[in-house]
Amino acid sequence: MLFGEGFKESIGNMLIALGRQASVQSLMEVAKGTAALFTAPKDAANHFVAAGLFAGAAATAGFAGKALGGGGGGSTAKASTSPSGTPQTATTPQREQAETSSMVFNINFGGAVIYDTQRAAEQALADRITNLQNTRRRGSPRRGAM
């Protein structure tokens, strides 16, 4: 009485949720019982009894939840909230916006030179690679006329 109808409806929704969970567990026990018929026939009956108990608990929780006003009338607002009122759907992530700013390439090849444009950096890299390829090293393969 202190919390009013909202609290009763919340409890009803929780009971309905527990009823759904118990019905799923009942189905799982039926599957386990069926499997046990082939693997351990003496244990199959226990699984089927457990399935019946879970089904009874599911029905009881469902009826009690409906009696307390749970389950709603199919409104879209209730479909996206939990019994406690928290949202059930995740918010859509915000995409990052592309920025149209120029890029600065700062490349240092062991010296104190900093290249301020992409073209200057590419040229320096190409020059460095060319110099390394043209350097004669001891034991390196030689190009030339035979």
Side-chain angles (χ1 to χ4, degrees):
M1 286 181 18
L2 181 64
F3 294 108
E5 292 298 316
F7 182 73
K8 282 177 58 177
E9 185 177 338
S10 177
I11 296 297
N13 286 332
M14 288 193 308
L15 284 172
I16 289 172
L18 286 172
R20 288 178 182 156
Q21 181 180 351
S23 66
V24 169
Q25 189 64 38
S26 173
L27 291 172
M28 294 297 292
E29 288 296 330
V30 168
K32 288 178 183 178
T34 304
L37 285 174
F38 299 104
T39 59
K42 63 181 179 177
D43 296 332
N46 292 337
H47 289 291
F48 290 125
V49 169
L53 292 173
F54 277 117
T60 303
F63 290 134
K66 290 286 186 183
L68 289 174
S75 75
T76 56
K78 292 184 185 232
S80 63
T81 58
S82 72
S84 63
T86 58
Q88 291 288 325
T89 56
T91 59
T92 57
Q94 296 296 322
R95 295 184 65 142
E96 292 183 18
Q97 299 295 325
E99 295 180 13
T100 56
S101 63
S102 61
M103 294 182 129
V104 176
F105 293 88
N106 295 322
I107 301 174
N108 191 340
F109 291 113
V113 179
I114 296 178
Y115 304 98
D116 58 352
T117 64
Q118 181 177 358
R119 180 159 172 75
E122 288 172 346
Q123 186 63 46
L125 179 61
D127 289 345
R128 181 70 177 137
I129 291 172
T130 303
N131 286 337
L132 287 174
Q133 287 177 340
N134 291 333
T135 303
R136 293 190 177 258
R137 295 178 313 274
R138 187 174 163 161
S140 66
R142 305 270 186 215
R143 286 181 276 161
M146 290 195 191

